[in-house]
Amino acid sequence: MKKQISCPVCNNQTILLDVVDFNKNCEEKRGKFLPISGTPIYYNHCSRCSFTFAPEFETWTEKDFLEKIYNDEYVEIDPDYLKARPQNNSQSLKNLFSEQKKFIKHLDYGGGNGRLSQLLKEDGWNSETYDPFPSGGASLDDLGKFNLITVFEVFEHVPDINVLMKNLTQLMSDDCLVLFSTLVSDGNLKLNNRINWWYASPRNGHISLFSKQALTLLGSKYTLKFGSFSDGFHCYFRQVPGWAKHIF
């Protein structure tokens, strides 16, 4: 009998949506195609909240991710992560909160090489960076609380989204704003349709794909309100900080 897989967001039973080759990558939208690997990656879909995910990766070890995804070749299928993305994100934050930075204690969660936080500190921000992957770095318990947490291009990479949410809520002060980026799947993934969306790319580690409904329900599980500024830029909060009210 085929194993039933529950949705990590709403606990509804999911169904198999489609299968893609492991080497499907985000740079295909720019014309870069990797050779077919021959390794099938199956994506399951929740008909209730439309969360779509690849269950196989829940069994992967950190070593598996480092060897097969986040290896020396990763830059070829995500060339923006080293410089362009942190530079763009830091400029966006400066544009949003240039006059409010003195009120902000910021954490860049999933900050990778720490470039975003470094750029903000150079501009006078109180900013720290933290990445749970790979393990062996700073302890979550030692970080304290923050009133602004950025989580840029992280949600789609996480094999256990509930661990991510527990970590974020542990780091949030009562008046914390969590700003995060991930493209929503609304209109891009549908039952009885093949997966052609460029963002659904296992070689990039894009293994958790959210609809706006899924993000809303996920936040409510952790008593967080959800807001969305665009198809790729969103927020969670319990109450909007006074210094951030101008963006709502």
Side-chain angles (χ1 to χ4, degrees):
M1 181 180 293
K2 187 176 180 180
K3 180 182 177 182
Q4 294 293 310
I5 299 176
S6 297
C7 174
V9 173
C10 70
N11 295 321
N12 187 49
Q13 291 300 315
T14 64
I15 61 174
L16 183 63
L17 178 65
D18 199 3
V19 58
V20 302
D21 186 77
F22 173 75
N23 271 351
K24 184 177 182 299
N25 74 91
C26 291
E27 284 299 291
E28 289 182 6
K29 67 179 171 52
R30 298 175 180 170
K32 181 178 179 60
F33 292 83
L34 297 176
I36 298 296
S37 72
T39 300
I41 301 297
Y42 294 88
Y43 282 85
N44 276 50
H45 180 82
C46 176
S47 59
R48 179 182 294 165
C49 73
S50 295
F51 180 62
T52 303
F53 62 107
E56 174 184 342
F57 292 95
E58 295 177 5
T59 67
W60 277 31
T61 65
E62 185 175 280
K63 182 180 179 183
D64 291 330
F65 280 102
L66 289 172
E67 289 182 351
K68 299 175 184 179
I69 294 180
Y70 306 113
N71 50 31
D72 291 342
E73 288 77 43
Y74 183 79
V75 68
E76 297 179 13
I77 44 86
D78 189 8
D80 295 336
Y81 90 95
L82 286 175
K83 293 183 179 181
R85 189 175 302 128
Q87 287 173 347
N88 292 338
N89 288 334
S90 66
Q91 190 58 55
S92 295
L93 290 172
K94 293 173 187 177
N95 292 342
L96 285 173
F97 303 120
S98 60
E99 298 180 6
Q100 293 80 24
K101 64 183 179 183
K102 63 183 178 181
F103 303 111
I104 294 173
K105 183 181 180 185
H106 168 251
L107 176 70
D108 187 32
Y109 185 98
N113 60 14
R115 180 61 177 161
L116 170 58
S117 183
Q118 178 186 350
L119 291 169
L120 292 176
K121 285 190 284 190
E122 290 172 359
D123 191 51
W125 286 54
N126 179 2
S127 176
E128 297 182 41
T129 188
Y130 172 77
D131 202 310
F133 183 88
S135 60
S139 169
L140 200 71
D141 296 328
D142 296 333
L143 291 174
K145 304 284 186 180
F146 300 84
N147 65 357
L148 175 63
I149 301 176
T150 52
V151 197
F152 292 133
E153 297 300 306
V154 172
F155 274 66
E156 66 275 11
H157 290 267
V158 177
D160 190 332
I161 59 173
N162 287 292
V163 169
L164 170 64
M165 294 301 290
K166 289 174 183 176
N167 287 352
L168 292 177
T169 53
Q170 178 180 334
L171 294 164
M172 295 173 66
S173 63
D174 290 339
D175 62 345
C176 179
L177 177 65
V178 177
L179 292 176
F180 65 100
S181 63
T182 190
L183 281 182
V184 291
S185 61
D186 302 68
N188 295 301
L189 297 176
K190 300 177 182 178
L191 291 176
N192 302 315
N193 284 265
R194 301 307 303 265
I195 293 179
N196 294 314
W197 190 29
W198 67 269
Y199 203 66
S201 294
R203 180 60 185 87
N204 286 76
H206 287 198
I207 56 182
S208 293
L209 306 170
F210 298 84
S211 66
K212 285 190 177 181
Q213 174 70 356
L215 289 173
T216 300
L217 291 176
L218 181 62
S220 67
K221 284 177 65 174
Y222 297 90
T223 66
L224 298 176
K225 298 175 183 177
F226 169 72
S228 191
F229 304 100
S230 70
D231 286 344
F233 190 42
H234 323 281
C235 66
Y236 283 132
F237 57 93
R238 295 189 183 96
Q239 60 187 42
V240 178
W243 49 264
K245 288 184 177 179
H246 66 286
I247 69 171
F248 285 86

